[in-house]
Amino acid sequence: MTDPRLSSPASARNTEPILQVLRAHMPARGRVLEVACGAGEHALAFSRALPGLDWTPSDPDPAAIASAAAWREAEGPENLQPPIRLDATDESTWPAGPFHALFCANMIHISPWAATLGLMRLAGRVLLNPGGLMVLYGPYRETGVPLAPSNAAFDESLKARDPAWGLRELDEVVLAAKHEGLAHTLRIEMPANNLCLLFRRV
């Protein structure tokens, strides 16, 4: 039988830097919804490291759901919940809140803009109001900040795969969040020209 567990080298590289941000800003206890969990390796690592958080991974891709479920079954702690199917553009798949926090890594640039707008609507609906935390991780374009050559090449490769993909303007992401009652509170520079962006439900 084929092992459904998938592995992402990028997840392995960025897990520890992201975990440092989560340790500093996540609540000690509460419910967390991870959107676009991919292989499920982040969910496994973060739920292990943050045992006070009830962590629910989600993804629209059946292969990702199967991988996350297999990682959980093989190695998952008690606070790691079964993965759920969630499509940011399909409100019928959204879970009921409230969640104390929402985490989403590397989705915004590898999906159409409609997915980002859906993510913001989802966060505005399910996050604890007020005070719920949204943490986003990935590369962005920023006004007045030269785009790193590696990010420029990555952007070109994404658009070659799908013209609807690509690095988003940070100001546009912040504005979309604000429209759903989410205030941008912190920008944290991360390795490999990525950012962690923090938002609070207001």
Side-chain angles (χ1 to χ4, degrees):
M1 182 177 178
T2 302
D3 188 342
R5 287 179 293 179
L6 305 174
S7 186
S8 164
S11 292
R13 288 193 301 271
N14 62 37
T15 291
E16 187 56 36
I18 295 173
L19 181 56
Q20 291 180 21
V21 174
L22 299 184
R23 286 188 191 278
H25 297 282
M26 282 283 186
R29 297 190 175 278
R31 299 179 69 208
V32 180
L33 175 64
E34 181 181 357
V35 176
C37 72
E41 292 173 296
H42 276 159
L44 180 65
F46 298 156
S47 60
R48 278 177 174 170
L50 304 166
L53 297 178
D54 186 77
W55 196 282
T56 300
S58 71
D59 204 278
D61 181 7
I65 293 291
S67 176
W71 279 117
R72 174 181 179 269
E73 183 176 349
E75 304 179 33
E78 291 184 1
N79 59 312
L80 178 57
Q81 300 303 310
I84 61 173
R85 180 184 175 273
L86 188 157
D87 184 338
T89 64
D90 182 359
E91 295 189 17
S92 70
T93 67
W94 295 359
F99 289 89
H100 295 79
L102 183 153
F103 172 73
C104 181
N106 291 326
M107 183 201 85
I108 287 179
H109 55 286
I110 313 180
S111 60
W113 179 242
T116 297
L117 298 179
L119 174 68
M120 301 309 175
R121 288 196 305 273
L122 168 68
R125 177 184 298 183
V126 305
L127 278 178
L128 194 67
N129 185 11
L133 171 68
M134 179 171 70
V135 180
L136 306 180
Y137 170 87
Y140 294 87
R141 293 180 176 273
E142 296 183 89
T143 302
V145 179
L147 192 62
S150 60
N151 277 359
F154 184 38
D155 185 48
E156 289 182 7
S157 71
L158 289 172
K159 290 175 178 175
R161 290 167 61 189
D162 189 325
W165 294 3
L167 273 63
R168 307 300 179 188
E169 294 286 347
L170 178 57
D171 290 346
E172 294 181 5
V173 173
V174 169
L175 187 61
K178 183 178 180 181
H179 185 71
E180 301 299 336
L182 299 155
H184 180 219
T185 59
L186 195 60
R187 169 194 177 277
I188 303 171
E189 293 188 6
M190 304 292 285
N193 301 305
N194 289 294
L195 298 175
C196 263
L197 305 176
L198 274 60
F199 300 79
R200 290 283 181 181
R201 187 77 171 85
V202 295

